């Protein structure tokens, strides 16, 4: 007879086991989520501890898990996200507010009520609805191979459980429902998410695999940007069918697919709104277009080099600089693309090709200078020769091989640079599929680990042509997996 049957566990050991299981679930939800502003932990208590009154309330509560059922439930969903996320961070900055989540809902033309998994209290089935936990699946198409069309995927976002209702396995249950939705309703064979550092190991425990992602960090000063403009940089108008937006869209469609991990953006609605607008007061964002020799967009012709950039700085950081609490500021380059006009037609618009390295560097320098000036010129420290500006790029978007080809004469701001890991990017494979790798080999993808290998940096003995800049070839160690942060989900 089995030893456990001869010696059954005591009631105290069973309680200890159940308490440990609850503790593991509590750690999962508190690693994934911030502490809700509605209930603050008592001074000196552990950050993941719930007040006793909250524990008692949660114990007595019954839950119903389901999707959103009607548009009139969306406001309750947004209110729930605001309550969970709009809380102070350790540095004093506030988390995302309702407006941020409202943008992500109303500006996304693929939004789907069935993609929002929620837990509601049984007591609130009669209005008003009380949502206490959520997971949203963003319907996306992602580029994972340079030789294949983008693939259907679900982006996991808005994972949020109110602190009063944690430790009840709600987040795990909703994550499972999201998996089912992606497979059965979307036909996705894999999902993607970006996890906070503390939460990543816990997502890994439910089947999500890490993918290595790196940024390029360039430390510079405004004095490092050599004067002498050769072009014209202006704000992009994201009004319907504006010529600036169309040029940016066609540059993106030409060059973004070569960066594995970028999303397809097929609709003008998505460009006008999700990319072109933001109500998030935490960020100052600029969206700029470069044209040569002061030309208007209607004067651009074959052989001209054009480009655009979207960059941002955190308003909290800018305020801290003014208070002399920071000696540097970070400017994140969400995306930039540069191309030379190969042809133009009134039906198909612009066709672009790769730009020669020196011109590529000159255009990028002007775009960066204009972006930095618009973001930082109001600061009193802006002209201080010792004031440091930290530029952050997706490494796959601006490989060091490009800067080597451009040379210090055309990019004097890029001499101090390093690559840094950005943890948290994860994939989960639901169904096997094949991908064509950068080595032009068909690879069977049966797990997140298989996908991570395909998206890893260029391996020894292979090389990859960089699409945006003529003559640049990526070699061992260069990154190919990137992401445009304006597509954040």
């Amino acid at each position: 007879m089995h030893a456990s049957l001869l010696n059954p566990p005591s009631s105290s050991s069973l309680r200890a086991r159940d308490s440990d299981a609850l503790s593991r679930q509590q750690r999962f939800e508190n690693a994934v989520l911030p502490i809700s502003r509605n209930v603050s932990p008592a001074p000196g208590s552990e950050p993941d501890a719930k007040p006793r009154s909250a524990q008692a309330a949660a114990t007595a509560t019954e839950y119903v898990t389901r999707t959103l059922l009607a548009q009139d439930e969306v406001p309750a969903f947004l209110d729930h996200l605001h309550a969970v996320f709009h809380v102070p961070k350790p540095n004093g900055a506030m988390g995302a507010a309702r407006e941020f989540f409202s943008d992500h809902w109303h500006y996304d033309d693929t939004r789907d009520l069935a993609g929002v998994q929620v837990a509601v209290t049984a007591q609130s089935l009669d209005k008003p609805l009380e949502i206490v936990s959520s997971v949203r699946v963003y319907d996306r198409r992602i580029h994972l191979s340079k030789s294949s069309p983008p693939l259907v995927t679900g982006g996991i976002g808005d994972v949020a459980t109110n602190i009063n209702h944690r430790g009840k396995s709600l987040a795990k249950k909703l994550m499972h429902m999201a998996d089912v939705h992606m497979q059965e309703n979307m036909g996705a064979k894999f999902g993607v998410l970006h996890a906070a550092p503390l939460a990543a190991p816990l997502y890994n425990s439910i089947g999500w695999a890490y993918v290595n992602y790196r940024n390029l960090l360039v430390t510079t000063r405004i004095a490092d940007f050599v004067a002498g403009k050769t072009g014209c940089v202006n704000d992009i108008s994201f009004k319907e069918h504006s010529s600036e937006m169309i040029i940016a869209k066609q540059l993106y469609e030409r060059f973004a697919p070569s960066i594995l991990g970028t999303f397809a953006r097929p609709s003008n609605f998505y460009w006008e709104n999700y990319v072109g607008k933001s109500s998030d007061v935490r960020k100052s964002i600029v969206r700029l277009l470069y044209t040569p020799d002061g030309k208007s967009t209607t004067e651009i012709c074959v052989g001209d080099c054009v480009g655009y950039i979207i960059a941002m700085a955190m308003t909290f950081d800018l305020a801290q600089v003014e208070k002399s609490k920071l000696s540097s500021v970070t400017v994140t380059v969400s995306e930039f693309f540069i191309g030379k006009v190969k042809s133009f037609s009134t039906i198909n618009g612009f066709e672009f090709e790769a730009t020669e390295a020196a011109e590529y560097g000159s255009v990028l320098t002007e775009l960066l200078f204009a972006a930095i000036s618009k973001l930082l010129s109001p600061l009193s420290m802006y002209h201080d020769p010792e004031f440091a500006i930290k530029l952050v790029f997706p490494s796959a978007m601006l490989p060091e091989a490009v800067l080597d080809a451009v040379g210090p004469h055309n990019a004097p701001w890029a001499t101090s640079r390093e690559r840094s890991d950005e943890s948290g990017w994860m994939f989960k494979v639901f169904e096997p599929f094949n991908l064509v790798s950068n080595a032009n080999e068909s690879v069977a993808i049966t797990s997140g680990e298989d996908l991570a290998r395909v998206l890893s940096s260029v391996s020894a003995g292979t090389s990859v042509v960089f699409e945006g800049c003529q003559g640049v070839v990526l070699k061992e160690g260069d990154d190919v997996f990137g992401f445009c942060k304006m597509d954040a989900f």
Side-chain angles (χ1 to χ4, degrees):
M1 185 175 291
H2 197 280
S4 63
L5 298 179
L6 289 170
N7 300 290
S10 66
S11 59
S12 60
S13 65
L14 286 173
R15 285 195 298 271
R17 182 192 65 189
D18 292 343
S19 176
D20 184 60
L22 178 61
S23 177
R24 289 196 301 272
Q25 174 61 20
Q26 185 72 47
R27 289 196 300 271
F28 175 85
E29 292 185 331
N30 280 288
V32 172
L33 308 163
I35 299 296
S36 171
R37 67 172 182 171
N38 292 336
V39 180
S40 299
S45 66
E46 292 300 319
D48 63 350
K50 290 189 297 183
R52 292 179 181 176
S53 60
Q55 290 176 339
T59 300
T61 302
E62 294 183 357
Y63 303 96
V64 175
T65 55
R66 60 174 176 83
T67 68
L68 291 184
L69 300 177
Q71 287 292 336
D72 62 6
E73 293 183 341
V74 171
F77 170 56
L78 301 177
D79 290 342
H80 157 70
L81 294 174
H82 177 91
V84 173
F85 285 105
H86 193 57
V87 296
K89 296 183 177 182
N91 66 354
M94 292 297 292
R98 191 182 198 277
E99 293 77 11
F100 171 79
F101 301 105
S102 180
D103 285 354
H104 277 195
W105 180 260
H106 293 104
Y107 292 164
D108 183 0
D109 51 351
T110 65
R111 61 186 179 273
D112 182 5
L113 293 172
V116 182
Q117 324 298 321
V118 295
V120 303
T121 56
Q123 295 93 323
S124 75
L125 292 181
D126 296 324
K127 306 296 182 182
L129 183 69
E130 182 187 12
I131 296 175
V132 299
S133 187
S134 65
V135 172
R136 180 182 169 189
V137 178
Y138 288 69
D139 188 344
R140 296 294 183 260
R141 306 294 181 271
I142 189 172
H143 300 286
L144 292 183
S145 172
K146 295 173 66 173
S147 58
S148 304
L151 301 173
V152 177
T153 191
I156 294 292
D158 303 343
V159 182
T161 301
N162 187 286
I163 191 173
N164 293 345
H165 301 271
R166 296 181 190 172
K168 311 298 289 184
S169 296
L170 297 177
K172 283 189 175 181
K173 186 177 294 185
L174 297 181
M175 286 292 292
H176 174 71
M177 292 168 60
D179 286 356
V180 173
H181 171 74
M182 285 187 278
Q183 295 172 77
E184 295 185 357
N185 298 337
M186 295 173 53
K189 296 181 179 180
F190 60 93
V192 59
L193 62 78
H194 185 267
L198 286 177
L202 301 166
Y203 281 115
N204 183 243
S205 72
I206 58 172
W208 293 82
Y210 300 96
V211 175
N212 187 45
Y213 180 99
R214 287 193 289 194
N215 290 312
L216 179 69
L217 174 62
V218 177
T219 303
T220 186
R221 304 168 303 156
I222 197 66
D224 293 330
F225 288 84
V226 178
K229 291 178 62 176
T230 61
C232 181
V233 180
N234 290 305
D235 292 326
I236 299 175
S237 167
F238 280 87
K239 294 180 180 179
E240 186 176 6
H241 303 308
S242 75
S243 56
E244 296 98 334
M245 189 189 80
I246 290 173
I247 291 173
K249 183 173 181 282
Q250 293 186 328
L251 279 167
Y252 184 91
E253 290 172 346
R254 169 62 180 85
F255 297 110
S258 64
I259 300 173
L260 308 186
T262 56
F263 288 166
R265 300 173 179 170
S267 74
N268 283 343
F269 179 90
Y270 186 94
W271 272 91
E272 293 162 16
N273 295 283
Y274 208 95
V275 178
K277 297 177 183 177
S278 175
S279 305
D280 190 353
V281 297
R282 299 173 304 157
K283 301 171 184 175
S284 179
I285 304 176
V286 294
R287 305 165 178 88
L288 304 172
L289 179 73
Y290 168 94
T291 58
D293 304 320
K295 290 183 177 180
S296 69
T297 54
T298 58
E299 297 173 317
I300 295 172
C301 57
V302 172
D304 284 340
C305 188
V306 298
Y308 82 93
I309 190 170
I310 302 179
M312 65 187 76
M314 303 304 292
T315 53
F316 178 82
D317 291 348
L318 299 179
Q320 294 299 98
V321 168
E322 283 298 85
K323 295 175 183 177
S324 301
K325 293 185 177 182
L326 291 176
S327 59
S328 64
V329 69
T330 297
V331 173
T332 299
V333 178
S334 168
E335 62 194 74
F336 76 91
F337 293 101
I338 297 166
K340 179 167 288 188
V341 178
K342 183 179 181 180
S343 64
F344 174 79
S345 72
T346 54
I347 297 175
N348 298 317
F350 293 97
E351 181 183 358
F352 293 103
E353 61 185 352
T355 307
E356 184 268 335
E359 190 168 20
Y360 188 97
S362 296
V363 174
L364 177 56
T365 297
E366 295 208 26
L367 284 168
L368 285 171
F369 179 76
I372 291 170
S373 297
K374 288 183 74 72
L375 290 170
L376 306 185
S377 59
L379 299 179
S380 57
M381 295 283 290
Y382 177 66
H383 294 291
D384 185 333
E386 301 304 317
F387 181 61
I389 302 168
K390 296 181 179 180
L391 300 173
V392 180
F393 305 83
S395 180
M397 188 174 293
L398 185 60
E400 292 194 77
V402 170
L403 293 175
D404 291 339
V406 165
H409 177 74
N410 295 297
W413 48 269
T415 55
S416 176
R417 62 192 196 234
E418 61 179 319
R419 285 188 291 181
S420 61
D421 292 331
E422 181 180 313
S423 61
W425 286 98
M426 309 184 81
F427 284 82
K428 185 176 185 178
V429 173
F430 309 125
E431 180 183 335
F433 63 100
N434 289 338
L435 272 182
V436 177
S437 70
N438 284 321
N440 205 32
E441 298 174 344
S442 180
V443 179
I445 306 297
T446 61
S447 66
E449 288 78 9
D450 291 337
L451 199 49
R453 284 189 286 271
V454 172
L455 299 177
S456 63
S457 55
V458 179
S459 57
T462 61
S463 62
V464 178
V465 174
F466 182 75
E467 296 287 339
C469 187
Q470 290 180 16
V472 174
V473 177
L474 307 182
K475 297 181 180 180
E476 181 179 358
D478 287 329
D479 298 310
V480 296
F481 174 56
F483 181 75
C484 298
K485 294 189 186 298
M486 292 308 295
D487 292 317
F489 51 91

